[in-house]
Amino acid sequence: MSRNRTSLASVAAAACAGLLTLSACGGGSGFDDGGSSGEGGGDGKITVLIGSSGDAETEAVEKAVADWSQESGTDAEVTVASDLNQQLSQGFASSNPPDVFYMSTDQLGGYVENGSLLAYGDQLSNADDFYPNLRQAFTVDDEFYCAPKDFSTLALWINTEKWEAAGLTDADVPTTWEELADVAATLKQGKQPGLAFSPEYQRVGAFFPQAGGAMTNEQQTEATVDTPENEEALDYVQRLLEDGSAQYSSTLGAGWGGEAFGKELAPMTIEGNWLVGAMQNDFPDVDYTVAELPAGPQGKGTLAFTNCWGIAESSPEQEQAVDLVEKLTSAEDQAAFAQAFGVIPSVESAAAA
Amino acid sequence: MARPRSRRGGQTRDGWVLMLPVVVLLGLFLVAPVLMALWVSVSDWRGNGSPFGGDVGFVGLENYRQILAGGGLAERDFGTSLRNNLFYVVLVVPLQTVLALLLAVLVTRRSLRGRGFFRTAFYFPSVTSSVAITVLWLFLFSTSGVVNKILGWVGLNGPAWFQDPRGVLHLLLGAVGVDRAPAALGEHGFLGITWWDWVAGPSVAMSAFVLMAVFTTSGTFMLLFIAALNNIGDEIEEAGLIDGANAWQRFRHVTLPMLRPTLFTVLTLGLIGTWQVFDQIYTGTQGGPAKTTLTPAYLSFQSAFVNQRWGQGAAIAFVLFAIIVVLTLVQRWALSEDRGSRGERARAAAVRAGATARRQGGGVTGGAA
């Protein structure tokens, strides 16, 4: 790492000088004068823009960034966005983007195309420590753009009380599609379904890999939505919905699966790690257990959700920003994040620790 | 009449000096941004750095082509958003105008007790933030919400309003056995969606937004109508009374023609407001379910801020602008004095003449036929 740093520093300094000249030129048009004097503009301060799931996440990120600030002697400020997409694109459009920010996989394409993102992934000393599929999610045209900050996967959440009330035991936790259909039917009571989840691809799609399907081929170059495997998965979900053992959370009057689960409108749901925080805050009295999603005809499968730490290509503090991200993705920091708001670390070494 | 030239020149100069602040403000905050947006709509700017930077190129009408004839997702989305908004406009504008007029007539009646209270009550939704009302609406129209509870009392099973993407017209057609597209409608289309989809009608979710718009804006337009009604003198109403016109005739042939300018204002404001619907969509559904509440204004925002297609976003905004201007001109033409039915105008004129005559102390000579 230290050997890397010197060459990197000179490159960054050159880029920085180049950028300052550019922004000074751009200022002449009269519309983006704020660019060179704003928060992100070369005053040595790092701005971090995050979209937070709640106080726990905000505090954890603020603490980690403050620690780094103290160690490195560089000022850094964390801002919580109320609308991350909008604030981020406004920042870029006005030549005054935050230095470091959350970037989602579905936004990545647009920002890569318009040249906003610094492809710094391979500069990280822990670049090879990330899980390969997470790394893949933020790699465009063989360039590893940004470091996955953590990830979350879907699981089956079970309301303990209702589970026991229906005469089910730990041995009944479903491990196959058939078993899931059986327990859902058992747990169904009148209009109340056994299982509820949000009406969106991000939940229903979890059944695709279990049936051996996917939305794209492995190289992510071709859409493979209309395969027999996906059809099988959708048929299965449709069957559950038709006989009433499963229902969409919206039908139950809940905004998402977690709400339906917390309000005890359904004894089972398919949700991600983030539900831990929601249950703690909003529904502390509901006891639950979490199980792996049951396996389909082609084995186990789930969906993973991830964000990365984006760094602005035009950031004048790129070197510092990369340094900050390296700390934020270290096994130690990620373990703290996992503790604070229930995400799964994106580096393999954190799992070993 | 001619004044000395120099003095007039001085006046002109003073005039400009006095107007300068407004001219500068408008130029800075209106004309310049509009011109910038116009440039963005014909450029390949992708939202990174200044749109006037050296690496931003001119692409002509490419962005417009993408949304109007691109054959891809951009065109289909734009077509869908136009379809959604068209039904919204077609439903909201007449409903809110009629309701506003009705409320205005009701609260200007002398015989109504507590008129002030009703005026305030009807106007209240208009001064409440649209975000707050949207949130309220989401609660009212949730699957287990108040609206469905009430529907339940009369034995109806309410839909999952804001989650239901089914088109209302499709539902009606389905009820009479037409549940798939006739070949003529299913195979051809416009702007990337088939004619069958064009006639889907507003989705159930969009219908909830229609009700909300009628609820919130009627109060504002009620105020305009109240002002106009107060300007119509009592003697005109009296004249109609003496001429033997009943309440409906007086309203239809005397009051309504005299409200024409206000009616034009209300319809125009309604038209512009409904074509630009954004806040409710942003707070409520973000275009879902199944894109049935996507509107051009929201799509423009989404294209630019979420998908980084700033050129397309700006192009959508300009097409929307063109639609609004054209429709306003059409409406102005349709409502213009010359096109009113002649008999109706003659009658109104006669009533007015009679009223004038009486006011001037003449005998009861004039009268409506």
Side-chain angles (χ1 to χ4, degrees), chain A residues 87-318:
Chain A
Q87 281 169 252
L88 202 53
S89 47
Q90 250 168 13
F92 280 110
S94 62
S95 312
N96 188 22
D99 300 286
V100 179
F101 43 84
Y102 280 13
M103 165 76 23
S104 65
T105 42
D106 55 333
Q107 296 273 300
L108 185 73
Y111 282 105
V112 165
E113 260 182 74
N114 72 9
S116 297
L117 287 187
L118 176 70
Y120 69 88
D122 287 320
Q123 297 170 16
L124 294 171
S125 60
N126 55 352
D128 294 326
D129 196 15
F130 296 105
Y131 290 102
N133 52 354
L134 294 181
R135 212 187 131 113
Q136 174 69 31
F138 297 107
T139 301
V140 180
D141 295 335
D142 293 331
E143 289 248 46
F144 180 24
Y145 271 88
C146 51
K149 71 180 187 70
D150 50 42
F151 74 105
S152 304
T153 61
L154 295 177
L156 186 67
W157 299 67
I158 298 167
N159 182 317
T160 324
E161 199 179 314
K162 296 208 171 178
W163 184 261
E164 283 162 5
L168 296 165
T169 63
D170 286 354
D172 296 313
V173 172
T175 55
T176 64
W177 278 10
E178 290 73 35
E179 287 175 22
L180 177 65
D182 286 347
V183 293
T186 313
L187 286 165
K188 179 182 163 216
Q189 273 183 344
K191 276 190 162 182
Q192 178 213 279
L195 172 69
F197 44 86
S198 313
E200 53 186 359
Y201 160 71
Q202 285 84 346
R203 300 295 172 275
V204 177
F207 291 94
F208 289 1
Q210 296 161 11
M215 294 296 265
T216 64
N217 63 2
E218 223 155 286
Q219 294 78 40
Q220 299 186 352
T221 51
E222 223 176 293
T224 57
V225 185
D226 56 346
T227 55
E229 289 84 4
N230 286 348
E231 193 187 353
E232 190 184 0
L234 289 175
D235 273 344
Y236 173 73
V237 175
Q238 202 170 34
R239 260 206 325 278
L240 290 181
L241 290 169
E242 267 168 8
D243 69 14
S245 28
Q247 262 174 33
Y248 287 138
S249 53
S250 54
T251 321
L252 299 168
W256 58 299
E259 191 187 333
F261 184 71
K263 285 185 175 166
E264 305 202 278
L265 301 171
M268 292 194 296
T269 189
I270 296 172
E271 273 299 336
N273 323 17
W274 48 83
L275 187 49
V276 177
M279 294 303 286
Q280 257 164 22
N281 292 333
D282 304 339
F283 313 104
D285 299 330
V286 180
D287 286 331
Y288 59 84
T289 50
V290 186
E292 238 180 339
L293 287 183
Q298 297 297 319
K300 288 178 184 172
T302 184
L303 295 180
F305 301 88
T306 179
N307 278 318
C308 76
W309 289 108
I311 295 182
E313 172 79 47
S314 59
S315 164
E317 314 292 342
Q318 283 178 354

Side-chain angles (χ1 to χ4, degrees), chain A residues 29 31-32 83 85-86 89-90 92-93 95 107 110-111 113-116 199 250-253 314, chain B residues 32 36 45-52 142-144 160 163 282 301 304-310:
Chain A
S29 68
F31 290 108
D32 56 357
D83 184 333
N85 288 342
Q86 191 208 329
S89 47
Q90 250 168 13
F92 280 110
S95 312
Q107 296 273 300
Y111 282 105
E113 260 182 74
N114 72 9
S116 297
S250 54
T251 321
L252 299 168
S314 59
Chain B
M36 265 178 89
W45 185 59
R46 295 294 302 273
N48 187 11
S50 164
F52 301 105
S142 79
T143 316
S144 52
Q163 274 84 34
Y282 178 78
F301 165 81
F305 285 88
V306 181
N307 299 332
Q308 306 303 319
R309 309 244 169 218
W310 292 75

